[in-house]
Amino acid sequence: MATDPASTQRKLAHIHLGVDGGAEKFFVRLSRALAKRGVEQIAFIRHDRPWRDELAEHCEVHELKFSRSHFKRHFIRWGIARDIRNFGAKTTLGWMSPASKWLPKPGPDMRTFLRLGDFPDGFHTYGNVEDLIGNTPEIIRQAVEAGWPADRAHMISNFVDPLPDSLQPVSRAGIETPEDATVLIALGRFVERKRFDLIIRALAQLPETVHAWLIGDGELQEDMHRLARDLGVENRTHFLGWQRDPSPFLIAADILVCPSDEEPLGNVVLEGWNAGLPVVATASQGPGWLIDHGKTGLLSACGDADGLAGSIYLLISNENEKTTLTVNARATLAERFTIEAISNQYLQQFGLQH
């Protein structure tokens, strides 16, 4: 089917194999932002993704079974390329390394990009990738150090949507948390590198009025329950499970904590700033880049529960410090991580700006 050349100028294809997490949330956010800028989009995703309907509000969605069979992969990739061509897009964005296997072949009528939100672990499936986009300088640095051409590696970070004025906080009473408690909140997978144990160990050093809300799930969750019991803080440690929208919890909390040993970006830092929370973090790669220590947040060494507890105690005992960090963080968010600024960078990279 012939395509009107003029209609290809503002069209974009996505390939996303993810399940349900921070990368998927940002995918839906970015595609919505680009749609509002007049970009027509088509997306190829797995079946039964919980964010499918939200994506379909502004994007043509094709649900596929991405087979591991090398033979079937050839035909699926051919079908994706055909559908993109018929849609009229000349730019395709793959999300995370698994999508690299399904990108169409680049050429005069197709530019291909792969967006990474984590550190690269090799390029053996990147044969159809022309350019990389990483959301932190460290991701780009590691990619180039591993051999990716520097002129085809680009840094574009994330944004978060402004919270609606009508948003209501969750009830503290419903989480067995006193109204006058200082609430720490942390979000993520219960896996080794996220170091939820540091929050629990820090909590054991802090006053009885401090509680921790831990949002997420994962393989180490039972270990974290056991640690809280062993340290005598079980009644102040609240495991709230995975929340598709953590915003009502964020605005009901007092301090956001990001204790990871390895965190490429730390989108939770942006979410904390967006909710008006002061942020305490370990100096892993992403938070160490985002946070100006003492100005927009507090950093301590990775793996140091004592240092983390000290940072939290400083904020508990110094209301002026909390206010200063929050005001500065909001200014940084407005200056560097707005929808308009990040969307413009993507549009410019794709050649889709007006």
Side-chain angles (χ1 to χ4, degrees):
M1 181 178 70
T3 303
D4 177 4
S7 70
T8 67
Q9 295 177 3
R10 300 278 290 171
K11 294 189 175 185
L12 173 66
H14 301 273
I15 301 174
H16 199 307
L17 279 65
V19 183
D20 191 22
E24 290 71 33
K25 288 170 65 177
F26 182 68
F27 167 44
V28 174
R29 282 191 201 121
L30 178 63
S31 60
R32 182 191 299 117
L34 296 181
K36 290 180 178 179
R37 300 288 290 274
V39 179
E40 297 178 56
Q41 296 163 85
I42 184 172
F44 300 85
I45 66 173
R46 294 187 186 275
H47 288 279
D48 301 321
R49 302 297 86 167
W51 35 270
R52 185 263 177 211
D53 290 346
E54 188 178 0
L55 179 66
E57 293 175 1
H58 54 265
C59 180
E60 181 178 322
V61 176
H62 291 219
E63 295 176 275
L64 302 176
K65 182 178 180 180
F66 293 88
S67 174
R68 294 184 178 183
S69 163
H70 180 75
F71 180 75
K72 291 181 179 179
R73 186 186 304 162
H74 173 78
F75 288 98
I76 295 170
R77 186 165 54 221
W78 179 86
I80 291 172
R82 177 202 59 205
D83 290 347
I84 293 174
R85 187 166 56 250
N86 289 341
F87 180 74
K90 291 190 175 183
T91 304
T92 300
L93 175 62
W95 290 76
M96 301 176 292
S97 289
S100 64
K101 302 175 184 177
W102 308 97
L103 288 169
K105 186 176 181 179
D109 292 323
M110 176 54 60
R111 298 185 67 198
T112 60
F113 295 83
L114 185 70
R115 180 194 179 274
L116 296 178
D118 207 339
F119 303 118
D121 56 359
F123 310 128
H124 58 285
T125 63
Y126 288 23
N128 282 350
V129 178
E130 282 189 304
D131 289 68
L132 290 181
I133 295 174
N135 63 3
T136 70
E138 181 62 17
I139 290 175
I140 296 303
R141 188 196 69 77
Q142 289 196 23
V144 172
E145 188 176 79
W148 192 263
D151 63 340
R152 294 197 286 119
H154 318 281
M155 202 290 290
I156 306 178
S157 198
N158 288 14
F159 64 81
V160 288
D161 290 327
L163 298 179
D165 294 335
S166 59
L167 182 66
Q168 295 297 311
V170 296
S171 166
R172 289 190 171 195
I175 310 176
E176 298 181 351
T177 304
E179 288 298 326
D180 60 351
T182 297
V183 175
L184 315 178
I185 188 168
L187 304 86
R189 293 279 296 166
F190 286 89
V191 294
E192 186 64 35
R193 77 178 194 176
K194 294 294 187 179
R195 296 303 304 268
F196 276 89
D197 65 297
L198 291 183
I199 302 176
I200 298 171
R201 295 182 191 280
L203 187 63
Q205 303 179 41
L206 294 166
E208 293 286 326
T209 54
V210 182
H211 286 236
W213 291 355
L214 308 184
I215 293 181
D217 55 23
E219 60 198 50
L220 296 181
Q221 186 165 343
E222 283 306 312
D223 291 348
M224 297 303 102
H225 278 277
R226 190 177 306 111
L227 179 63
R229 287 194 298 270
D230 291 345
L231 294 179
V233 294
E234 183 179 17
N235 292 337
R236 295 193 285 133
T237 308
H238 309 273
F239 295 87
L240 305 182
W242 170 251
Q243 304 291 332
R244 290 219 68 236
D245 181 10
S247 301
F249 297 87
L250 286 165
I251 64 172
D254 296 296
I255 299 170
L256 183 129
V257 183
C258 181
S260 300
D261 280 349
E262 184 177 294
E263 193 69 62
L265 174 62
N267 203 70
V268 294
V269 173
L270 301 182
E271 293 182 3
W273 288 350
N274 195 42
L277 297 180
V279 173
V280 170
T282 50
S284 55
Q285 300 92 334
W289 170 65
L290 288 170
I291 295 170
D292 185 349
H293 176 64
K295 183 178 179 182
T296 59
L298 297 179
L299 295 169
S300 57
C302 291
D304 182 3
D306 294 344
L308 193 68
S311 293
I312 295 168
Y313 188 78
L314 174 62
L315 295 186
I316 293 172
S317 59
N318 189 333
E319 193 65 33
N320 289 337
E321 182 75 7
K322 284 178 63 176
T323 301
T324 297
L325 295 182
T326 302
V327 169
N328 290 338
R330 284 283 188 131
T332 297
L333 194 67
E335 181 181 345
R336 296 171 52 195
F337 302 102
T338 63
I339 294 175
E340 182 177 12
I342 302 302
S343 298
N344 283 344
Q345 291 176 56
Y346 272 99
L347 291 172
Q348 183 175 5
Q349 193 63 57
F350 297 153
L352 295 176
Q353 69 271 43
H354 282 300

